[in-house]
């Protein structure tokens, strides 16, 4: 029997047209309703049902309310396509607006406001004004929302017909839905002015509070948003409002509870001691909702609970068991619960919390294990009494010889040692034993730091780093190489006899390697300072440094204040203030993404005009010796690339298809431009130099020279020229082992660099898919 959403047969529209015209069908309401259901079903699927327009207009002459609803839905959808019959549609709706049935009047008025036809305003105003005074609450609430449609068509009508005043009077309406729609319309029509009208009248606020139970859940949230902006004149008013709303904390809808919590927090914003009591009061309702809700709702509630934990430290400490991760919880909810556990820890519960986090560490769930270990590290740094216990846990976990767990354990151990150096007696032996087992670059960096910091306490320290020095070419990560240089210099000052030869070899390798400018410059700096003044070098490298009091994320009071102001909004979910995603800069960034999508063919058509994106400060230019030949390493001839590929639409970055530039001119321009902007692209699969050259050349980015810089690295020099604009030069290194492309872009007009980066990246999209 098929149902509505099945493939329609050829000629079926004509068949339905004939049936709608058949007078015998009108005598069978069920059969007539079935035909109209099929019309609306096909319309929903996107099938053109406009040939039935005249028949559907005639079908509105029925007493069956279901048929009328379907007719109105059809007319709203196709009226704009039938301009010659639009007046007939309007006359039909105006006639129905005077029907004795209030449901028909309300549906006709709603449909009339939904029409997208020319000159609708002259037919719309009088019915809406009359509807605001209708005896039926259904018609009144519909008319209130229709005022917003009039505002969209002509803002001058609103003051001319005194519509704001009429809506304001409806705040005293006996029907709660009419009141809720009136509040919403006032806020939409006048923004902050409308809000001031509401919160500036204490009697209105009291009436809304007294009727709060009558509103549906959506309306309650709207009313509570308004009340949250009300500023009481005395403590009596403050407590009166809180007493009215106290029962809303027991509501089963999480949105209503969160809106009520926001009212309580705003009312006590200038009374910190009272605000802490409020957090204590709302704690139990929020936790009860969180534990009994679906994972999605629990996620939203946990986000807000974490805000409250930071707002009132200690308020949720007794409820720490409620934040234990369940086996059935999805990963995103488990992560938030682990975060909450690290925030509610204190001297009385840290043993239980650390044991619970330790039980979550398993190689079967690497993401969960990482979050649990990071939380343990946060607890150790925040609570000195917990640091020895966490250190013991780290030692036990390292002995499992699980590489997934070991990598994060090492990072946690490094943070603990940074703040509590005496705990090296517990951690150093296990960290040393794990030195040859780690494979992750971040873990290698952490272990190298430990070697350099505690070289005198680790007898085999020089001999642990020696194989890494001799296998310099195998360690391709720049961060590992930089940390290796720093560690070797530190060990030299602690164990000079054992490290002198090793350090010399390492500096020779690093200075000769030009694949990464940061590594090369650091090695050159160490070599020069060691050559000039050993005492100054030792003071620089082995200084006591600063005492570690707190990590950066612990000192974000300004961010906490902004997040508190956005309580109950998407800012809490995104974990960023609304200025970060609704500001002018954020909107500019979205336009850049839209440009890139147009260029890639992901979307088509014009996009709104926008200013050029903001430009970050230009980094200091890397030091280069005068007379250095940029191309002397790349003596391999540039192969011809004449493959078949579809170029990007260059609407966002118009480049000349065949710019001319000699190697000598390239080098001269490169040296003149000085500093550039770096960027890195990661590939999802192996890529060859020929493939990269082919993709870029067919998008008007040409290769000046290329060649193999090392066994795992290939270097390119690209250039492009904007139409009627300056040259853009790019030095690019392909790291085959890490599947990354590191580039340095230079241009006279720095504002063009971000757009070129997007064009460059979109050209290489096939390698990132």
């Amino acid at each position: 029997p098929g149902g509505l959403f099945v493939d329609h047969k050829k000629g079926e529209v004509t068949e339905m047209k004939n049936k709608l015209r058949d007078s015998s069908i009108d005598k069978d309401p069920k059969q007539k309703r079935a035909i109209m259901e099929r019309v609306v079903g096909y319309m929903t699927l996107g099938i053109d049902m406009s040939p039935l327009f005249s028949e559907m207009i005639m079908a509105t002459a029925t007493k069956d309310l279901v048929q009328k609803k379907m007719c109105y839905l059809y007319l709203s959808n196709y009226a704009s396509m039938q301009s010659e019959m639009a007046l007939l549609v309007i006359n039909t709706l105006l006639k129905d607006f005077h029907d004795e049935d209030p449901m028909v009047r309300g549906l006709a008025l709603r449909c009339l406001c939904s029409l997208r036809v020319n000159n609708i305003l002259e037919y719309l105003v009088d019915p809406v004004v009359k509807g605001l005074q209708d005896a039926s609450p259904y018609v009144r609430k519909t008319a209130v929302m229709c005022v917003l449609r009039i505002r969209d068509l002509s803002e001058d009508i609103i003051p001319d017909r005194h519509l704001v005043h009429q809506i304001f009077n409806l705040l005293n309406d006996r029907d709660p839905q009419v009141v809720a729609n009136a509040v919403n319309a006032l806020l939409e029509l006048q923004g902050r002015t409308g809000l001031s009208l509401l919160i500036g009248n204490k009697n209105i606020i009291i009436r809304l509070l007294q009727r709060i139970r009558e509103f549906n859940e959506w309306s309650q949230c709207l009313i509570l948003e308004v009340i949250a902006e009300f500023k009481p004149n005395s403590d009596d008013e403050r407590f009166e409002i809180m007493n009215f709303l106290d029962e809303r904390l027991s509501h089963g809808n999480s949105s209503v509870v969160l809106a009520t919590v926001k009212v309580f927090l705003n009312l006590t914003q200038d009374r910190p001691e009272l605000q802490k009591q409020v957090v204590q009061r709302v704690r139990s309702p929020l936790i009860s909702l969180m534990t009994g809700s679906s994972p999605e709702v629990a996620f939203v509630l946990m986000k807000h609970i974490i805000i409250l934990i930071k707002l009132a430290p200690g308020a949720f400490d007794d409820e720490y068991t409620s934040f234990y991760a369940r086996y059935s919880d999805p990963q995103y909810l488990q992560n938030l619960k682990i975060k909450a556990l690290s925030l509610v820890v204190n001297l009385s519960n840290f043993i239980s919390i650390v044991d619970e986090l330790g039980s979550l560490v398993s190689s079967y769930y690497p993401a969960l294990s990482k979050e649990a270990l990071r939380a343990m590290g946060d607890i150790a740094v925040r609570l000195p009494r917990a640091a020895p216990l966490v250190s013991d846990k780290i030692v036990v976990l390292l002995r499992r010889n699980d590489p997934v767990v070991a990598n994060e354990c090492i990072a946690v151990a490094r943070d603990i040692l940074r703040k509590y150096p005496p705990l090296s007696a517990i951690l150093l032996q296990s960290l040393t034993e794990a030195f040859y087992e780690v494979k992750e670059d971040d873990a290698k960096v952490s272990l190298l730091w430990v070697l350099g910091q505690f070289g005198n306490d680790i007898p085999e320290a020089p001999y642990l780093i020696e194989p890494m020095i001799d296998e310099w070419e195998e360690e391709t990560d720049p961060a590992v190489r930089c940390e290796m240089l720093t560690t070797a210099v530190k060990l030299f000052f602690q164990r000079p006899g054992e490290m002198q030869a090793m350090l010399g070899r390492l500096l020779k390798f690093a200075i000769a390697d030009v694949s990464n400018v940061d590594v090369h410059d650091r090695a050159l700096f160490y070599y020069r300072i060691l050559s000039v003044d050993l005492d100054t070098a030792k003071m620089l490298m082995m200084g006591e440094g600063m005492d570690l009091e707190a990590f950066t994320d612990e000192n974000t009071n300004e961010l906490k204040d902004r997040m508190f102001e956005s309580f109950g909004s998407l800012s809490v979910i995104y974990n960023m203030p609304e200025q970060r995603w609704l500001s002018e800069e954020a909107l500019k960034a979205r336009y850049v993404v839209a440009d890139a999508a147009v260029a890639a063919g992901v979307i088509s058509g014009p996009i709104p005009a926008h200013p050029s994106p903001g430009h970050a400060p230009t980094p200091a230019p890397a030091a280069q010796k005068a007379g250095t030949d940029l191309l002397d390493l790349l003596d391999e001839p540039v192969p011809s690339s004449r493959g078949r590929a579809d170029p990007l639409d260059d609407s966002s970055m118009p480049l000349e298809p065949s710019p001319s530039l000699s190697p000598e001119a390239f080098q001269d321009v490169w040296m003149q431009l000085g500093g550039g902007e770096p960027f890195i692209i990661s590939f999802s699969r192996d890529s060859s130099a020929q493939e990269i050259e082919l993709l870029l050349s067919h998008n008007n980015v040409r290769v000046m020279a290329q060649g193999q810089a090392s066994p795992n690295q290939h270097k390119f020099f690209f250039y492009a020229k904007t139409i009627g604009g300056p040259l853009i030069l790019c030095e690019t290194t392909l790291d085959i082992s890490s599947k990354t492309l590191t580039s340095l872009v230079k241009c006279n007009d720095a504002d063009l660099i971000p757009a070129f980066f997007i064009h460059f990246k979109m050209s290489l999209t096939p390698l990132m898919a």
Side-chain angles (χ1 to χ4, degrees):
L4 292 176
F5 304 105
V6 295
D7 293 336
H8 73 293
K9 300 175 184 178
K10 187 175 181 180
E12 193 170 357
V13 174
T14 303
E15 180 184 349
M16 286 189 289
K17 186 182 184 76
N18 293 331
K19 286 184 177 180
L20 289 172
R21 287 179 175 271
D22 190 350
S23 59
S24 62
I25 299 294
D26 294 336
K27 300 177 182 179
D28 187 352
K30 290 185 178 179
Q31 189 175 359
K32 183 74 171 288
R33 186 183 295 183
I35 295 172
M36 298 181 71
E37 285 178 354
R38 207 149 191 86
V39 172
V40 173
Y42 286 155
M43 180 185 72
T44 306
L45 289 173
I47 300 170
D48 183 15
M49 305 301 291
S50 58
L52 304 178
F53 195 81
S54 58
E55 286 74 18
M56 293 297 286
I57 291 178
M58 291 187 291
T60 58
T62 177
K63 296 296 184 181
D64 188 346
L65 197 58
V66 176
Q67 292 184 36
K68 271 193 178 294
K69 286 183 178 180
M70 289 189 287
C71 287
Y72 290 158
L73 179 61
Y74 177 93
L75 294 176
S76 298
N77 192 53
Y78 285 112
S80 60
M81 301 171 58
Q82 301 285 341
S83 57
E84 67 280 358
M85 302 186 71
L87 185 59
L88 182 59
V89 176
I90 294 172
N91 289 334
T92 301
L93 294 173
L94 289 175
K95 178 182 176 182
D96 285 349
F97 177 70
H98 294 89
D99 194 275
E100 62 182 10
D101 187 345
M103 288 296 294
V104 175
R105 296 200 302 272
L107 289 172
L109 184 58
R110 186 172 67 178
C111 182
L112 187 64
C113 290
S114 301
L115 296 180
R116 297 294 186 268
V117 297
N118 296 329
N119 303 321
I120 186 65
L121 183 62
E122 59 181 299
Y123 303 100
L124 183 60
V125 177
D126 289 335
V128 170
V129 173
K130 186 175 181 181
L132 291 173
Q133 302 169 0
D134 197 279
S136 169
Y138 178 74
V139 179
R140 293 199 301 275
K141 78 180 186 67
T142 304
V144 170
M145 301 309 293
C146 290
V147 173
L148 300 179
R149 170 66 172 150
I150 294 177
R151 187 273 310 268
D152 293 338
L153 296 173
S154 175
E155 294 185 0
D156 296 336
I157 299 293
I158 303 298
D160 291 346
R161 301 300 293 267
H162 308 290
L163 293 179
V164 172
H165 179 71
Q166 294 189 53
I167 292 176
F168 192 83
N169 290 335
L170 289 176
L171 293 174
N172 297 317
D173 197 276
R174 61 182 180 274
D175 186 83
Q177 191 58 50
V178 175
V179 176
N181 283 10
V183 171
N184 184 55
L186 281 175
L187 297 177
E188 288 288 336
L189 289 171
Q190 296 197 309
R192 296 297 302 182
T193 304
L195 181 62
S196 300
L197 285 174
L198 293 171
I199 64 177
N201 191 322
K202 180 184 174 182
N203 294 329
I204 292 178
I205 297 297
I206 295 299
R207 282 199 298 270
L208 293 175
L209 287 169
Q210 291 172 338
R211 301 184 62 184
I212 193 73
R213 296 182 187 178
E214 302 175 22
F215 297 107
N216 59 30
E217 294 170 348
W218 179 87
S219 300
Q220 287 186 37
C221 293
L222 177 65
I223 299 301
L224 290 169
E225 284 290 329
V226 173
I227 296 174
E229 300 296 327
F230 179 72
K231 301 298 181 184
N233 295 323
S234 64
D235 284 347
D236 291 339
E237 286 186 5
R238 193 194 321 266
F239 293 128
E240 184 181 8
I241 294 173
M242 294 169 67
N243 289 334
F244 269 123
L245 297 178
D246 187 68
E247 64 174 3
R248 294 297 92 193
L249 294 173
S250 303
H251 200 283
N253 186 285
S254 57
S255 297
V256 174
V257 175
L258 288 176
T260 306
V261 172
K262 183 175 182 179
V263 174
F264 281 33
L265 295 176
N266 283 4
L267 289 174
T268 58
Q269 195 167 6
D270 56 343
R271 296 279 300 276
E273 71 289 346
L274 186 58
Q275 194 171 69
K276 291 181 180 179
Q277 296 179 27
V278 165
V279 175
Q280 290 279 359
R281 171 65 186 90
V282 305
R283 177 185 62 183
S284 296
L286 287 175
I287 290 180
S288 297
L289 271 177
M290 185 269 296
T291 54
S293 301
S294 65
E296 294 79 11
V297 175
F299 174 83
V300 174
L301 290 169
M302 278 301 306
K303 281 283 192 177
H304 288 82
I305 287 173
I306 288 175
I307 295 291
L308 295 177
I309 292 174
K310 295 178 179 178
L311 177 66
F316 286 80
D317 289 4
D318 295 339
E319 301 286 347
Y320 68 93
T321 55
S322 301
F323 304 129
Y324 283 178
R326 301 175 183 174
Y327 177 78
S328 58
D329 288 339
Q331 179 70 52
Y332 57 82
L333 184 56
Q334 289 177 336
N335 291 346
L336 283 184
K337 288 185 174 181
I338 290 172
K339 176 66 174 177
L341 284 175
S342 68
L343 294 174
V344 299
V345 68
N346 58 31
L347 292 176
S348 62
N349 63 22
F350 76 88
I351 296 177
S352 299
I353 291 178
V354 171
D355 288 341
E356 173 66 18
L357 292 174
S359 68
L360 297 177
V361 178
S362 167
S363 59
Y364 297 105
Y365 304 100
L368 181 63
S369 299
K370 287 183 178 180
E371 291 295 328
L373 285 167
R374 289 170 186 168
M376 291 169 64
D378 291 342
I379 290 171
V381 171
R382 188 177 293 110
L383 198 65
R385 286 276 298 278
L389 176 61
V390 174
S391 299
D392 291 336
K393 291 281 185 182
I394 295 298
V395 170
V396 172
L397 293 172
L398 284 172
R399 288 174 182 169
R400 292 184 184 178
N401 294 323
D402 185 338
V404 175
V405 174
N407 290 328
E408 197 63 36
C409 283
I410 291 167
V412 172
R414 174 204 60 201
D415 292 340
I416 293 174
L417 290 174
R418 285 174 62 193
K419 189 162 187 179
Y420 310 109
L423 291 179
S424 60
I426 300 176
L427 292 168
L428 285 185
Q429 182 177 353
S430 298
L431 292 174
T432 303
E433 293 171 356
F435 195 87
Y436 292 116
E437 304 298 328
V438 296
K439 303 299 180 184
E440 295 289 335
D441 292 330
D442 291 342
K444 290 180 181 179
V445 171
S446 298
L447 282 176
L448 285 169
W449 179 87
V450 172
L451 287 184
Q453 199 71 17
F454 300 95
N456 284 327
D457 300 324
I458 305 176
E460 61 270 43
Y463 310 103
L464 290 173
I465 196 176
E466 185 173 21
M468 298 182 70
I469 295 174
D470 294 335
E471 298 173 0
W472 171 263
E473 296 293 339
E474 304 298 325
E475 295 292 346
T476 57
D477 185 74
V480 176
R481 288 184 167 187
C482 286
E483 192 63 42
M484 196 189 308
L485 285 165
T486 303
T487 299
V489 175
K490 287 183 176 180
L491 287 175
F492 169 73
F493 288 114
Q494 299 174 66
R495 317 268 284 273
E498 297 165 280
M499 284 300 301
Q500 184 174 2
M502 296 184 206
L503 180 59
R505 295 201 306 274
L506 178 61
L507 291 175
K508 181 179 179 181
F509 293 150
I511 293 173
D513 190 341
V514 295
S515 60
N516 185 276
V517 66
D518 292 333
V519 178
H520 174 80
D521 287 356
R522 181 174 295 204
L524 200 59
F525 171 74
Y526 287 157
Y527 172 76
R528 288 172 176 170
I529 195 172
L530 289 170
S531 302
V532 173
D533 190 344
L534 280 177
D535 292 334
T536 302
K538 183 175 182 179
M539 181 180 64
L540 177 67
M541 300 300 298
M542 304 301 296
E544 292 297 328
M546 298 175 62
D547 293 336
L548 182 62
E549 296 297 335
F551 288 114
T552 304
D553 59 356
E554 294 182 41
N555 294 321
T556 53
N557 292 329
E558 181 180 358
L559 177 61
K560 291 178 185 177
D561 293 340
R562 289 185 180 180
M563 295 300 294
F564 171 74
E565 294 172 0
S566 304
F567 192 89
S569 71
L570 285 175
S571 293
V572 178
I573 308 302
Y574 294 156
N575 199 31
M576 62 176 68
E578 64 180 29
Q579 294 85 352
R580 293 273 300 277
W581 52 284
L582 289 179
S583 64
E584 184 178 353
E585 291 76 11
L587 294 176
K588 287 180 182 179
R590 292 183 193 178
Y591 279 122
V592 172
V593 173
D595 283 342
V598 171
V602 177
I603 60 176
S604 59
I607 61 174
H610 58 277
S612 60
H615 174 58
T618 304
Q624 293 182 338
K625 291 183 179 180
T628 301
D629 187 357
L630 288 172
L631 308 179
D632 61 357
L633 292 176
L634 312 178
D635 52 4
E636 180 179 341
V638 180
S640 173
S641 57
R642 294 287 184 266
R644 299 288 299 275
D646 294 330
L648 295 176
D649 174 16
D650 287 334
S651 58
S652 63
M653 189 66 187
L655 301 176
E656 290 188 3
S658 300
S660 60
L661 186 67
S662 65
E664 295 77 11
F666 182 101
Q667 182 165 324
D668 291 341
V669 174
W670 181 271
M671 299 297 290
Q672 292 171 7
L673 288 176
E677 287 200 28
F679 61 83
I680 299 176
I681 299 174
S682 298
F683 298 146
S684 60
R685 62 177 178 86
D686 294 332
S687 55
S688 64
Q690 291 74 18
E691 191 174 10
I692 291 173
E693 180 190 349
L694 180 67
L695 291 170
L696 290 171
S697 64
H698 281 280
N699 290 286
N700 300 333
V701 179
R702 304 300 177 185
V703 181
M704 175 58 65
Q706 63 153 318
Q708 190 170 7
S710 68
N712 291 322
Q713 292 186 332
H714 203 93
K715 182 166 284 192
F716 305 84
F717 284 96
F718 294 108
Y719 68 99
K721 190 177 189 302
T722 57
I723 296 177
L727 283 167
I728 302 175
L729 308 184
C730 179
E731 178 187 13
T732 300
T733 301
L734 169 64
D735 192 311
I736 300 172
S737 59
S738 63
K739 301 177 186 177
T740 58
L741 202 69
T742 305
S743 300
L744 180 68
V745 181
K746 297 184 179 183
C747 181
N748 273 331
D749 187 354
D751 288 339
L752 292 175
I753 294 180
F756 177 78
F757 162 61
I758 293 175
H759 180 88
F760 192 94
K761 186 175 181 179
M762 298 303 296
S763 301
L764 301 176
T765 299
L767 304 180
M768 296 180 280

